Coordinates of all heavy atoms in Angstrom, one line a residue:
M172 N 0.8 -1.2 0.0 CA 0.0 0.0 0.0 C 0.9 1.2 0.0 O 1.8 1.4 0.8 CB -0.9 0.0 1.2 CG -1.8 1.1 1.3 SD -2.9 0.9 2.8 CE -4.0 2.2 2.5
A173 N 0.6 2.2 -0.9 CA 1.4 3.4 -1.0 C 1.1 4.3 0.2 O 0.0 4.4 0.7 CB 1.0 4.1 -2.3
E174 N 2.1 5.0 0.6 CA 2.0 5.9 1.7 C 1.2 7.2 1.2 O 1.5 7.7 0.1 CB 3.4 6.3 2.2 CG 3.4 6.7 3.7 CD 4.8 6.9 4.1 OE1 5.6 5.9 4.1 OE2 5.2 8.0 4.5
E175 N 0.3 7.7 2.0 CA -0.5 8.8 1.6 C 0.4 10.1 1.7 O 1.2 10.2 2.6 CB -1.8 9.0 2.3 CG -1.6 9.2 3.8 CD -3.0 9.1 4.5 OE1 -4.0 8.6 4.0 OE2 -3.0 9.6 5.7
E176 N 0.1 11.0 0.8 CA 0.9 12.3 0.8 C 0.2 13.2 1.9 O -1.0 13.3 2.0 CB 0.8 12.9 -0.5 CG 1.7 14.2 -0.6 CD 1.8 14.7 -2.0 OE1 1.2 14.1 -3.0 OE2 2.4 15.7 -2.2
I177 N 1.1 13.9 2.6 CA 0.6 14.8 3.6 C 0.9 16.2 3.1 O 2.0 16.5 2.6 CB 1.3 14.6 5.0 CG1 1.1 13.2 5.5 CG2 1.0 15.7 6.0 CD1 -0.4 12.9 5.9
F178 N -0.1 17.1 3.2 CA 0.0 18.5 2.7 C 0.1 19.3 4.0 O -0.8 19.2 4.9 CB -1.2 18.9 1.9 CG -1.3 18.1 0.6 CD1 -1.9 16.9 0.6 CD2 -0.7 18.6 -0.6 CE1 -2.1 16.2 -0.6 CE2 -0.9 17.9 -1.8 CZ -1.5 16.7 -1.8
I179 N 1.1 20.2 4.1 CA 1.1 21.1 5.3 C 0.7 22.5 4.8 O 1.3 23.1 4.0 CB 2.6 21.1 5.9 CG1 2.9 19.7 6.3 CG2 2.7 22.1 7.0 CD1 4.4 19.5 6.8
L180 N -0.4 22.9 5.4 CA -0.9 24.2 5.1 C -0.8 25.2 6.3 O -0.9 24.8 7.4 CB -2.4 24.1 4.7 CG -2.7 23.1 3.6 CD1 -4.2 23.1 3.4 CD2 -2.0 23.5 2.3
T181 N -0.6 26.4 6.0 CA -0.4 27.5 7.0 C -1.7 28.3 7.0 O -2.1 28.8 5.9 CB 0.8 28.4 6.7 OG1 1.9 27.5 6.6 CG2 1.0 29.4 7.8
D182 N -2.3 28.5 8.1 CA -3.5 29.3 8.2 C -3.2 30.8 8.4 O -2.0 31.2 8.4 CB -4.5 28.8 9.3 CG -3.9 29.0 10.7 OD1 -2.9 29.7 10.9 OD2 -4.5 28.4 11.7
H183 N -4.2 31.6 8.5 CA -4.0 33.0 8.6 C -3.3 33.5 9.8 O -2.8 34.6 9.9 CB -5.4 33.8 8.4 CG -6.4 33.4 9.5 ND1 -7.1 32.2 9.5 CD2 -6.7 34.0 10.7 CE1 -7.9 32.2 10.5 NE2 -7.6 33.2 11.3
D184 N -3.3 32.6 10.8 CA -2.5 32.9 12.1 C -1.1 32.5 12.0 O -0.3 32.7 13.0 CB -3.2 32.3 13.3 CG -4.6 32.8 13.6 OD1 -4.8 34.0 13.3 OD2 -5.4 32.1 14.0
G185 N -0.7 31.8 10.9 CA 0.7 31.3 10.8 C 0.9 29.9 11.4 O 2.0 29.4 11.4
S186 N -0.2 29.3 11.8 CA -0.1 27.9 12.4 C -0.2 26.9 11.2 O -0.9 27.1 10.3 CB -1.3 27.7 13.3 OG -1.3 28.6 14.4
E187 N 0.7 25.9 11.3 CA 0.7 24.9 10.3 C -0.2 23.7 10.7 O -0.2 23.3 11.9 CB 2.1 24.4 10.1 CG 3.0 25.4 9.4 CD 4.4 24.9 9.1 OE1 4.8 23.8 9.7 OE2 5.1 25.5 8.3
R188 N -0.9 23.1 9.8 CA -1.7 22.0 10.0 C -1.5 21.0 8.9 O -1.2 21.4 7.8 CB -3.2 22.3 10.0 CG -3.6 23.2 11.2 CD -5.0 23.1 11.6 NE -5.5 21.8 11.8 CZ -6.8 21.6 11.9 NH1 -7.7 22.6 11.8 NH2 -7.3 20.3 12.0
E189 N -1.6 19.7 9.2 CA -1.4 18.6 8.3 C -2.7 18.2 7.7 O -3.7 18.0 8.5 CB -0.7 17.4 8.9 CG 0.7 17.7 9.3 CD 1.4 16.5 9.9 OE1 0.7 15.5 10.3 OE2 2.7 16.5 9.9
F190 N -2.8 18.0 6.4 CA -4.0 17.5 5.7 C -3.6 16.4 4.8 O -2.5 16.2 4.4 CB -4.6 18.7 4.8 CG -5.2 19.8 5.6 CD1 -4.4 20.8 6.2 CD2 -6.6 19.8 5.8 CE1 -5.0 21.8 6.9 CE2 -7.2 20.8 6.5 CZ -6.4 21.8 7.0
K191 N -4.6 15.5 4.6 CA -4.4 14.4 3.6 C -5.6 14.4 2.6 O -6.6 15.1 2.8 CB -4.4 13.1 4.4 CG -5.7 12.8 5.1 CD -5.6 11.5 5.9 CE -6.9 11.3 6.7 NZ -6.9 10.0 7.4
E192 N -5.3 13.7 1.5 CA -6.3 13.7 0.5 C -7.5 12.9 0.9 O -7.4 11.8 1.3 CB -5.7 13.1 -0.8 CG -6.7 13.0 -2.0 CD -6.1 12.4 -3.2 OE1 -4.8 12.4 -3.3 OE2 -6.8 12.0 -4.1
L193 N -8.7 13.5 0.7 CA -10.0 12.8 0.9 C -10.4 12.1 -0.4 O -10.7 11.0 -0.5 CB -11.0 13.7 1.4 CG -12.4 13.2 1.8 CD1 -12.3 12.1 2.9 CD2 -13.3 14.3 2.2
F194 N -10.3 12.9 -1.5 CA -10.5 12.4 -2.8 C -10.1 13.5 -3.8 O -9.9 14.7 -3.4 CB -11.9 11.9 -3.1 CG -13.0 13.0 -3.1 CD1 -13.3 13.6 -4.3 CD2 -13.6 13.3 -2.0 CE1 -14.3 14.6 -4.3 CE2 -14.6 14.3 -1.9 CZ -14.9 15.0 -3.1
S195 N -9.9 13.1 -5.0 CA -9.5 14.0 -6.1 C -10.3 13.6 -7.4 O -10.8 12.5 -7.5 CB -8.0 14.1 -6.4 OG -7.6 12.8 -6.7
F196 N -10.5 14.6 -8.3 CA -11.2 14.3 -9.5 C -10.8 15.3 -10.6 O -10.2 16.4 -10.3 CB -12.7 14.3 -9.3 CG -13.3 15.7 -8.9 CD1 -13.8 16.5 -9.8 CD2 -13.2 16.1 -7.5 CE1 -14.3 17.8 -9.5 CE2 -13.7 17.4 -7.2 CZ -14.3 18.2 -8.1
D197 N -11.1 15.0 -11.8 CA -10.9 15.9 -12.9 C -12.2 16.4 -13.4 O -13.2 15.7 -13.4 CB -10.2 15.1 -14.1 CG -8.8 14.6 -13.7 OD1 -8.1 15.4 -13.0 OD2 -8.4 13.6 -14.2
S198 N -12.2 17.7 -13.9 CA -13.4 18.3 -14.5 C -13.1 18.6 -15.9 O -12.2 19.4 -16.3 CB -13.7 19.6 -13.7 OG -14.7 20.3 -14.4
K199 N -13.9 18.0 -16.8 CA -13.8 18.3 -18.2 C -14.3 19.7 -18.5 O -13.8 20.4 -19.4 CB -14.5 17.3 -19.1 CG -13.9 16.0 -19.1 CD -14.7 15.0 -19.9 CE -14.1 13.6 -19.8 NZ -14.9 12.6 -20.5
D200 N -15.3 20.2 -17.7 CA -15.9 21.5 -17.9 C -14.9 22.6 -17.7 O -14.8 23.7 -18.4 CB -17.1 21.7 -17.1 CG -18.3 20.8 -17.5 OD1 -18.3 20.4 -18.6 OD2 -19.1 20.6 -16.6
F201 N -14.0 22.4 -16.7 CA -13.0 23.5 -16.3 C -11.6 23.1 -16.7 O -10.7 23.9 -16.5 CB -13.1 23.7 -14.8 CG -14.3 24.4 -14.4 CD1 -15.4 23.7 -13.9 CD2 -14.4 25.8 -14.4 CE1 -16.6 24.3 -13.6 CE2 -15.6 26.4 -14.0 CZ -16.7 25.7 -13.6
N202 N -11.5 21.9 -17.3 CA -10.2 21.4 -17.8 C -9.1 21.5 -16.8 O -8.0 22.0 -17.0 CB -9.8 22.2 -19.1 CG -8.7 21.5 -19.9 OD1 -8.7 20.2 -19.8 ND2 -7.9 22.2 -20.5
R203 N -9.4 21.0 -15.6 CA -8.4 20.9 -14.5 C -8.7 19.9 -13.5 O -9.8 19.4 -13.5 CB -8.1 22.3 -13.8 CG -9.4 23.1 -13.5 CD -9.1 24.3 -12.7 NE -8.4 25.3 -13.5 CZ -8.5 26.6 -13.3 NH1 -9.0 27.1 -12.2 NH2 -7.9 27.5 -14.1
A204 N -7.8 19.6 -12.6 CA -8.0 18.6 -11.6 C -8.2 19.3 -10.2 O -7.8 20.5 -10.0 CB -6.8 17.7 -11.4
Y205 N -8.9 18.7 -9.4 CA -9.3 19.2 -8.0 C -8.9 18.2 -7.0 O -9.0 17.0 -7.2 CB -10.8 19.5 -8.0 CG -11.1 20.6 -8.9 CD1 -11.5 20.3 -10.2 CD2 -11.1 22.0 -8.6 CE1 -11.8 21.3 -11.1 CE2 -11.4 23.0 -9.5 CZ -11.7 22.6 -10.8 OH -12.0 23.6 -11.7
I206 N -8.6 18.6 -5.8 CA -8.4 17.8 -4.7 C -9.1 18.3 -3.5 O -9.2 19.5 -3.3 CB -6.9 17.6 -4.4 CG1 -6.6 16.5 -3.3 CG2 -6.3 19.0 -4.0 CD1 -5.1 16.2 -3.2
I207 N -9.7 17.4 -2.7 CA -10.4 17.7 -1.5 C -9.5 17.2 -0.3 O -9.2 16.0 -0.2 CB -11.8 17.1 -1.4 CG1 -12.6 17.4 -2.7 CG2 -12.5 17.6 -0.1 CD1 -12.7 18.8 -3.1
L208 N -9.1 18.1 0.6 CA -8.2 17.7 1.7 C -9.0 17.7 3.0 O -9.9 18.6 3.2 CB -7.1 18.7 1.8 CG -6.1 18.8 0.6 CD1 -5.0 19.9 0.9 CD2 -5.5 17.5 0.2
E209 N -8.6 16.8 3.9 CA -9.2 16.8 5.3 C -8.0 16.8 6.3 O -6.9 16.3 5.9 CB -10.1 15.6 5.4 CG -9.3 14.3 5.4 CD -10.2 13.1 5.7 OE1 -11.3 13.2 6.2 OE2 -9.7 11.9 5.5
P210 N -8.3 17.4 7.5 CA -7.2 17.4 8.5 C -6.8 16.0 8.8 O -7.6 15.1 8.9 CB -7.9 18.1 9.7 CG -9.1 18.7 9.1 CD -9.5 18.0 7.9
V211 N -5.5 15.8 9.1 CA -5.0 14.5 9.6 C -5.5 14.2 11.0 O -5.9 13.1 11.3 CB -3.4 14.5 9.5 CG1 -2.9 13.3 10.2 CG2 -2.9 14.6 8.1
S212 N -5.6 15.2 11.8 CA -6.1 15.1 13.1 C -7.0 16.2 13.5 O -6.9 17.3 13.0 CB -5.0 15.0 14.2 OG -4.2 16.2 14.2
V213 N -8.0 15.9 14.3 CA -9.0 16.9 14.7 C -9.1 16.9 16.2 O -9.2 15.8 16.8 CB -10.4 16.6 14.1 CG1 -11.4 17.6 14.5 CG2 -10.3 16.5 12.5
N214 N -9.0 18.1 16.8 CA -9.2 18.2 18.3 C -10.6 17.9 18.7 O -11.6 18.2 17.9 CB -8.7 19.5 18.8 CG -7.2 19.8 18.5 OD1 -6.4 18.8 18.5 ND2 -6.9 21.0 18.2
D215 N -10.8 17.4 19.9 CA -12.2 17.3 20.4 C -13.0 18.6 20.4 O -12.4 19.6 20.7 CB -12.1 16.8 21.9 CG -11.7 15.4 22.0 OD1 -11.8 14.6 21.0 OD2 -11.2 15.0 23.1
G216 N -14.2 18.5 19.9 CA -15.0 19.7 19.8 C -14.8 20.5 18.6 O -15.5 21.5 18.3
E217 N -13.8 20.1 17.8 CA -13.5 20.9 16.6 C -14.2 20.3 15.4 O -14.2 19.1 15.2 CB -12.0 20.9 16.4 CG -11.5 21.7 15.2 CD -10.0 21.6 15.1 OE1 -9.4 20.6 15.3 OE2 -9.4 22.7 14.7
D218 N -14.8 21.1 14.5 CA -15.4 20.6 13.3 C -14.3 20.2 12.3 O -13.2 20.8 12.3 CB -16.2 21.7 12.6 CG -17.5 22.0 13.3 OD1 -18.0 21.2 14.1 OD2 -18.0 23.2 13.2
M219 N -14.6 19.1 11.6 CA -13.6 18.6 10.6 C -14.0 19.3 9.3 O -14.9 18.9 8.6 CB -13.7 17.1 10.4 CG -12.6 16.6 9.5 SD -12.7 14.9 9.1 CE -13.9 14.9 7.8
D220 N -13.3 20.3 8.9 CA -13.5 21.0 7.7 C -12.7 20.4 6.6 O -11.5 20.1 6.7 CB -13.1 22.5 7.8 CG -14.0 23.3 8.7 OD1 -15.2 23.0 8.8 OD2 -13.5 24.2 9.4
V221 N -13.3 20.2 5.4 CA -12.6 19.8 4.2 C -12.4 21.0 3.4 O -13.2 22.0 3.4 CB -13.4 18.7 3.5 CG1 -13.6 17.4 4.3 CG2 -14.7 19.2 3.0
I222 N -11.3 21.0 2.6 CA -10.9 22.1 1.8 C -10.6 21.7 0.4 O -9.8 20.9 0.2 CB -9.6 22.8 2.4 CG1 -9.8 23.1 3.9 CG2 -9.3 24.1 1.7 CD1 -8.6 23.6 4.6
P223 N -11.4 22.4 -0.6 CA -11.1 22.0 -2.0 C -10.0 23.0 -2.6 O -9.9 24.1 -2.2 CB -12.5 22.3 -2.6 CG -13.0 23.4 -1.8 CD -12.5 23.2 -0.4
F224 N -9.2 22.4 -3.5 CA -8.2 23.2 -4.2 C -8.2 22.7 -5.6 O -8.5 21.6 -6.0 CB -6.8 22.9 -3.6 CG -6.6 23.5 -2.3 CD1 -6.7 22.8 -1.1 CD2 -6.2 24.8 -2.2 CE1 -6.5 23.3 0.1 CE2 -6.0 25.4 -0.9 CZ -6.1 24.7 0.2
I225 N -7.7 23.6 -6.5 CA -7.3 23.2 -7.8 C -6.0 22.5 -7.6 O -5.1 23.0 -6.8 CB -7.1 24.5 -8.7 CG1 -8.4 25.2 -8.9 CG2 -6.5 24.1 -10.1 CD1 -8.2 26.6 -9.5
Y226 N -5.8 21.4 -8.3 CA -4.6 20.5 -8.0 C -3.8 20.3 -9.2 O -4.3 19.7 -10.2 CB -5.1 19.2 -7.4 CG -4.1 18.2 -7.0 CD1 -3.0 18.6 -6.2 CD2 -4.2 16.9 -7.3 CE1 -2.1 17.7 -5.8 CE2 -3.3 16.0 -6.9 CZ -2.2 16.4 -6.1 OH -1.3 15.4 -5.7
D227 N -2.6 20.8 -9.2 CA -1.6 20.5 -10.3 C -0.5 19.7 -9.8 O 0.5 20.3 -9.3 CB -1.2 21.8 -10.9 CG -0.3 21.6 -12.2 OD1 0.1 20.4 -12.5 OD2 0.1 22.6 -12.8
K228 N -0.6 18.4 -9.8 CA 0.5 17.5 -9.1 C 1.8 17.6 -9.9 O 2.8 17.2 -9.3 CB 0.0 16.1 -9.1 CG -0.3 15.4 -10.4 CD -0.8 14.1 -10.2 CE -1.2 13.5 -11.6 NZ -2.0 12.3 -11.4
D229 N 1.8 18.2 -11.1 CA 3.1 18.3 -11.8 C 3.8 19.6 -11.6 O 4.9 19.8 -12.1 CB 2.9 18.0 -13.3 CG 2.4 16.6 -13.6 OD1 2.8 15.7 -12.9 OD2 1.5 16.5 -14.5
A230 N 3.2 20.5 -10.9 CA 3.8 21.8 -10.7 C 4.9 21.8 -9.6 O 4.8 21.0 -8.7 CB 2.7 22.8 -10.1
D231 N 6.0 22.5 -9.9 CA 7.1 22.5 -9.0 C 6.7 23.3 -7.7 O 7.1 23.0 -6.6 CB 8.3 23.2 -9.6 CG 8.9 22.3 -10.7 OD1 8.7 21.1 -10.6 OD2 9.6 22.9 -11.6
E232 N 6.0 24.4 -7.9 CA 5.5 25.2 -6.8 C 4.0 25.5 -7.1 O 3.6 25.6 -8.3 CB 6.3 26.5 -6.7 CG 7.7 26.3 -6.2 CD 8.4 27.6 -6.0 OE1 7.8 28.6 -5.7 OE2 9.6 27.6 -6.1
G233 N 3.3 25.8 -6.1 CA 1.9 26.2 -6.3 C 1.0 25.0 -6.8 O 0.1 25.2 -7.6
M234 N 1.3 23.8 -6.2 CA 0.6 22.6 -6.6 C -0.9 22.8 -6.2 O -1.8 22.3 -6.9 CB 1.2 21.5 -5.8 CG 0.4 20.2 -5.8 SD 1.2 18.9 -4.8 CE 2.7 18.6 -5.6
L235 N -1.2 23.5 -5.1 CA -2.6 23.7 -4.6 C -2.9 25.2 -4.9 O -2.2 26.1 -4.4 CB -2.7 23.4 -3.2 CG -2.4 22.0 -2.8 CD1 -2.5 21.8 -1.2 CD2 -3.3 21.0 -3.4
Q236 N -4.0 25.5 -5.6 CA -4.4 26.8 -5.8 C -5.9 26.9 -5.4 O -6.6 26.0 -5.5 CB -4.3 27.2 -7.3 CG -2.9 27.2 -7.8 CD -2.0 28.2 -7.2 OE1 -2.5 29.4 -7.0 NE2 -0.8 27.9 -6.9
P237 N -6.3 28.1 -4.9 CA -7.7 28.3 -4.5 C -8.6 28.3 -5.7 O -8.2 28.5 -6.9 CB -7.7 29.7 -3.9 CG -6.5 30.4 -4.4 CD -5.5 29.3 -4.7
L238 N -9.9 27.9 -5.5 CA -10.9 27.9 -6.6 C -11.0 29.4 -7.0 O -10.9 30.3 -6.2 CB -12.2 27.4 -6.1 CG -12.1 26.0 -5.5 CD1 -13.5 25.5 -5.2 CD2 -11.5 25.0 -6.4
E239 N -11.3 29.6 -8.3 CA -11.2 30.9 -8.9 C -12.6 31.6 -9.1 O -12.6 32.8 -9.0 CB -10.5 30.9 -10.2 CG -9.0 30.5 -10.0 CD -8.3 30.3 -11.3 OE1 -8.9 30.4 -12.4 OE2 -7.0 30.2 -11.3
T240 N -13.6 30.8 -9.3 CA -14.9 31.4 -9.6 C -16.0 30.8 -8.8 O -15.9 29.7 -8.3 CB -15.2 31.3 -11.1 OG1 -15.4 29.9 -11.4 CG2 -14.2 31.9 -12.0
D241 N -17.1 31.5 -8.7 CA -18.3 30.9 -8.1 C -18.8 29.7 -8.8 O -19.2 28.7 -8.2 CB -19.4 32.0 -8.0 CG -19.1 33.1 -7.0 OD1 -18.3 32.9 -6.1 OD2 -19.8 34.1 -7.1
E242 N -18.7 29.7 -10.1 CA -19.2 28.5 -10.9 C -18.3 27.3 -10.6 O -18.8 26.2 -10.5 CB -19.1 28.8 -12.4 CG -20.1 29.9 -12.9 CD -19.6 31.3 -12.6 OE1 -18.4 31.6 -12.3 OE2 -20.5 32.2 -12.8
E243 N -17.0 27.5 -10.5 CA -16.1 26.5 -10.1 C -16.4 25.9 -8.7 O -16.5 24.7 -8.5 CB -14.7 27.0 -10.2 CG -13.6 26.0 -10.2 CD -12.2 26.6 -10.5 OE1 -12.0 27.8 -10.1 OE2 -11.4 26.0 -11.2
Y244 N -16.6 26.8 -7.8 CA -16.9 26.4 -6.4 C -18.2 25.6 -6.4 O -18.3 24.6 -5.7 CB -17.0 27.6 -5.5 CG -17.3 27.2 -4.0 CD1 -16.2 26.8 -3.2 CD2 -18.6 27.2 -3.5 CE1 -16.4 26.4 -1.9 CE2 -18.8 26.8 -2.2 CZ -17.7 26.4 -1.4 OH -18.0 25.9 -0.2
D245 N -19.2 26.1 -7.1 CA -20.5 25.4 -7.2 C -20.4 24.0 -7.7 O -21.0 23.0 -7.2 CB -21.5 26.1 -8.0 CG -22.0 27.4 -7.4 OD1 -21.8 27.6 -6.2 OD2 -22.6 28.3 -8.1
M246 N -19.5 23.8 -8.8 CA -19.3 22.5 -9.3 C -18.6 21.6 -8.3 O -19.0 20.4 -8.2 CB -18.4 22.6 -10.6 CG -18.1 21.3 -11.3 SD -16.6 20.4 -10.7 CE -15.3 21.6 -10.8
V247 N -17.6 22.1 -7.6 CA -16.9 21.3 -6.6 C -17.8 20.9 -5.5 O -17.8 19.7 -5.0 CB -15.6 22.0 -6.1 CG1 -15.0 21.3 -4.9 CG2 -14.6 22.1 -7.3
E248 N -18.6 21.8 -5.1 CA -19.6 21.6 -4.0 C -20.6 20.5 -4.4 O -20.9 19.6 -3.6 CB -20.3 22.8 -3.6 CG -21.2 22.7 -2.4 CD -21.8 24.0 -2.0 OE1 -22.3 24.8 -2.8 OE2 -21.8 24.3 -0.8
E249 N -21.0 20.5 -5.7 CA -22.0 19.5 -6.2 C -21.3 18.1 -6.2 O -21.9 17.1 -5.8 CB -22.4 19.9 -7.6 CG -23.5 18.9 -8.1 CD -24.0 19.4 -9.5 OE1 -24.1 20.6 -9.7 OE2 -24.3 18.5 -10.3
V250 N -20.1 18.0 -6.6 CA -19.3 16.7 -6.6 C -19.2 16.3 -5.1 O -19.4 15.1 -4.8 CB -17.9 16.9 -7.3 CG1 -17.1 15.6 -7.0 CG2 -18.1 17.1 -8.7
M251 N -18.8 17.1 -4.2 CA -18.6 16.8 -2.8 C -20.0 16.3 -2.2 O -20.0 15.2 -1.6 CB -18.1 17.9 -2.0 CG -16.7 18.2 -2.3 SD -15.9 19.7 -1.4 CE -17.0 20.1 -0.2
N252 N -21.1 17.0 -2.5 CA -22.4 16.5 -2.0 C -22.8 15.2 -2.6 O -23.3 14.4 -1.8 CB -23.4 17.6 -2.3 CG -23.3 18.8 -1.5 OD1 -22.8 18.8 -0.4 ND2 -23.8 19.9 -2.0
T253 N -22.5 15.0 -3.8 CA -22.8 13.7 -4.4 C -22.0 12.5 -3.7 O -22.6 11.5 -3.4 CB -22.4 13.7 -5.9 OG1 -23.2 14.7 -6.6 CG2 -22.7 12.3 -6.6
I254 N -20.7 12.8 -3.5 CA -19.9 11.7 -2.9 C -20.3 11.5 -1.4 O -20.5 10.4 -0.9 CB -18.4 12.0 -3.1 CG1 -18.1 11.8 -4.5 CG2 -17.6 11.2 -2.1 CD1 -16.7 12.3 -4.9
F255 N -20.5 12.6 -0.7 CA -20.8 12.5 0.7 C -22.2 12.0 1.0 O -22.4 11.4 2.1 CB -20.6 13.9 1.4 CG -19.2 14.4 1.5 CD1 -19.0 15.8 1.5 CD2 -18.1 13.6 1.4 CE1 -17.7 16.3 1.5 CE2 -16.8 14.1 1.5 CZ -16.6 15.4 1.5
N256 N -23.1 12.1 0.1 CA -24.5 11.7 0.3 C -24.8 10.4 -0.3 O -26.0 9.9 -0.2 CB -25.4 12.8 -0.1 CG -25.3 14.0 0.7 OD1 -25.2 13.9 2.0 ND2 -25.4 15.2 0.1
N257 N -23.9 9.8 -1.0 CA -24.2 8.5 -1.7 C -23.4 7.4 -0.9 O -22.2 7.3 -1.1 CB -23.8 8.5 -3.1 CG -24.1 7.3 -3.9 OD1 -24.3 6.2 -3.3 ND2 -24.3 7.4 -5.2
P258 N -24.1 6.5 -0.2 CA -23.4 5.5 0.6 C -22.5 4.5 -0.3 O -21.5 4.0 0.2 CB -24.5 4.7 1.3 CG -25.8 5.3 0.9 CD -25.5 6.5 0.0
K259 N -22.9 4.4 -1.5 CA -22.1 3.5 -2.4 C -20.8 4.1 -2.8 O -19.9 3.4 -3.2 CB -22.9 3.2 -3.7 CG -24.2 2.4 -3.5 CD -24.9 2.1 -4.7 CE -26.2 1.3 -4.5 NZ -26.9 1.1 -5.7
L260 N -20.6 5.4 -2.7 CA -19.4 6.1 -3.0 C -18.5 6.4 -1.8 O -17.4 6.9 -2.0 CB -19.7 7.4 -3.8 CG -20.4 7.3 -5.1 CD1 -20.8 8.6 -5.6 CD2 -19.6 6.4 -6.1
Q261 N -18.9 6.0 -0.7 CA -18.1 6.3 0.5 C -17.2 5.1 0.9 O -17.4 4.0 0.6 CB -19.1 6.6 1.7 CG -19.8 7.9 1.5 CD -20.7 8.3 2.6 OE1 -20.6 7.7 3.7 NE2 -21.5 9.3 2.4

């Protein structure tokens, strides 16, 4: 079994947190790949937020980029809702 990649993200306070891939997918409509990350660990009482990014695994820098448009965010949200709400896909 391959070891999962850990992404270290820095929040607005300068704190670093580790995230792992929940799932990724390609969009033909936007001609790019996306990745959904989840925290590696969650403290008691803390919500587990997932974070979507544009994902360019071949980039030397800037592998993760924020979503650019409302249409893009709506599409990613629809994919996430489909996966999270379909027991066959979990």
